Amino acid sequence: MDNLKLTAKDTASDGHHPAVMLATLRADGSRKEWPWHHNYDGNGTSHTWTTYANDTAGIRNATIEVANFEGSTYLVGCMAGSLNNPNW
């Protein structure tokens, strides 16, 4: 998977910050969580990261997850979208 664009936008002045993460489902059904990308710059800011995913165990499905953090503590999150590998 090339040229993945992940965006985290902060829309609240609440002292928390947003983050976005890619998670993939491997051929054997196991889940791989890729690193979180954090936007620490405050309300009204948005950050986009261009990245890729390559897994020798295969990628059956890709999911984007977003969450709010307080420092390094995960507060609440949700799945923002999912896509099956069309070549699977």
Side-chain angles (χ1 to χ4, degrees):
M1 299 174 62
D2 294 321
N3 289 323
L4 297 171
K5 293 189 187 316
L6 305 175
T7 300
K9 182 176 182 180
D10 194 337
T11 60
S13 185
D14 59 5
H16 308 308
H17 72 274
V20 61
M21 174 188 71
L22 174 71
T24 53
L25 185 65
R26 293 175 167 154
D28 67 2
S30 64
R31 176 180 161 97
K32 177 173 179 155
E33 294 183 350
W34 300 78
W36 283 100
H37 297 277
H38 297 262
N39 175 1
Y40 296 107
D41 289 344
N43 184 30
T45 64
S46 181
H47 287 282
T48 299
W49 296 267
T50 301
T51 188
Y52 68 94
N54 185 15
D55 192 336
T56 57
I59 297 176
R60 239 170 44 184
N61 176 279
T63 301
I64 304 300
E65 297 188 19
V66 294
N68 273 337
F69 282 78
E70 176 66 38
S72 61
T73 302
Y74 178 99
L75 298 176
V76 63
C78 66
M79 183 177 80
S82 179
L83 182 64
N84 288 324
N85 183 343
N87 298 313
W88 192 255

